[in-house]
Amino acid sequence: MASLPDKSTPPRTWPEGEALLAALSPAMVDLMDELSSTMFCAKDVTGRYVLVNRVFVARTNERSRRAVVGRRATDLFVPQLAERYDQQDAEVLRSGRPLRNELELIRRLGGTPGWFLTSKLPVHDGAGHLVGLVSVSQDLREDDADDASMDSMARLVAGIEERLGQALTVADLAALAGCTPAVLDRRVRRVFSLSPRQLVLRARVDRAAELLAGTDLPIAEVAVATGFYDQPAFTRTFARLTGETPSSFRRRARR
């Protein structure tokens, strides 16, 4: 069994938590506890924490993993942020699709905020049943990223999301971020390991995937809504980045 929880007494367990524990690799879980700047947690399908690492505990007001296991985000983080985390979880569990590299604030109750880059993956048991999710959040302060830079990147991401259907030049992106193009390039590569144009492309493909899976919009309209020149260009790019055409992606997502 995975070994993150405190070992002085047996960890609290419940049916949903047991199912998730059984589906996780003990070696992977042990590795998560070696991380020094990345939060790790595993949640069951009811939203309760089943496993957390030391870094996760340090971002709460609790002193031990045992005090966190069995609780929910609303017990540990400020309400507005906890609601956002729950919404993310619900979408991952509903769609079965990962959340990748989401820039967000994490703030404990009564504590100071920190910028994190979060990814979440659904977890299935051996029979293919959904049993929960795992989440990692990388602390961007560990790289000495100042608040101004993180605020700039947050405004950039929000601006891109609002303008996905528009042509965006590097100058446009720099204006959204409130910096020069040269500073923009350095900040985006540092935070996202992408160029600014790659960041926009990833946002467009992510939105396209959401529209393909969750709406009946014709593929040509999805292409326009996400800023692609035309349907053939959209199909080529989507297939190159995801490994399947928009139509095949839509069929698979709706099975």
Side-chain angles (χ1 to χ4, degrees):
M1 180 178 289
S3 60
L4 276 186
D6 303 327
K7 302 177 183 178
S8 54
T9 58
R12 286 179 287 167
T13 58
W14 55 95
E16 296 88 353
E18 286 287 351
L20 178 55
L21 283 172
L24 295 175
S25 161
M28 181 274 291
V29 172
D30 284 341
L31 183 62
M32 292 299 101
D33 212 28
E34 299 299 318
L35 301 174
S36 62
S37 62
T38 301
M39 298 170 65
F40 164 80
C41 72
K43 289 183 178 180
D44 68 18
V45 291
T46 73
R48 287 186 288 185
Y49 293 102
V50 175
L51 290 171
V52 296
N53 68 353
R54 292 177 291 105
V55 179
F56 187 99
V57 175
R59 294 301 305 182
T60 73
N61 285 331
E62 301 299 339
R63 296 185 177 182
S64 70
R65 285 183 278 242
R66 190 169 305 283
V68 173
V69 169
R71 300 175 72 184
R72 293 178 168 86
T74 51
D75 301 320
L76 303 168
F77 303 102
V78 297
Q80 300 91 330
L81 297 180
E83 181 180 359
R84 174 177 169 80
Y85 307 152
D86 287 342
Q87 290 172 348
Q88 291 174 345
D89 296 345
E91 178 60 21
V92 170
L93 294 173
R94 183 197 66 79
S95 68
R97 296 194 300 274
L99 171 77
R100 299 189 186 278
N101 296 328
E102 181 84 358
L103 184 67
E104 62 185 7
L105 277 173
I106 294 178
R107 182 188 296 117
R108 64 180 181 271
L109 291 170
T112 57
W115 283 105
F116 285 74
L117 206 58
T118 295
S119 296
K120 299 182 177 184
L121 303 175
V123 177
H124 299 82
D125 63 17
H129 300 127
L130 183 67
V131 292
L133 60 82
V134 291
S135 172
V136 291
S137 299
Q138 179 187 356
D139 189 346
L140 298 177
R141 289 181 182 270
E142 291 297 314
D143 294 326
D144 296 325
D146 59 89
D147 287 341
S149 295
M150 290 301 96
D151 181 64
S152 172
M153 291 299 93
R155 285 187 281 114
L156 174 64
V157 170
I160 290 173
E161 291 292 336
E162 293 174 358
R163 297 166 176 79
L164 282 182
Q166 304 174 17
L168 291 171
T169 66
V170 172
D172 293 331
L173 298 176
L176 289 173
C179 61
T180 66
V183 171
L184 171 75
D185 189 77
R186 290 196 300 271
R187 287 177 175 175
V188 172
R189 290 183 186 276
R190 181 177 181 183
V191 173
F192 299 103
S193 298
L194 299 169
S195 70
R197 291 189 182 280
Q198 288 172 326
L199 182 64
V200 173
L201 182 58
R202 188 182 68 184
R204 285 178 170 155
V205 170
D206 286 346
R207 175 70 63 80
E210 293 175 3
L211 293 175
L212 290 169
T215 76
D216 294 319
L217 280 176
I219 291 176
E221 292 186 25
V222 172
V224 172
T226 51
F228 289 92
Y229 177 72
D230 55 20
Q231 182 173 340
F234 168 56
T235 297
R236 289 194 300 273
T237 303
F238 191 90
R240 175 171 60 84
L241 295 177
T242 69
E244 54 188 332
T245 65
S247 57
S248 63
F249 177 89
R250 172 171 272 174
R251 287 195 299 270
R252 182 180 59 79
R254 296 186 173 189
R255 286 175 186 167

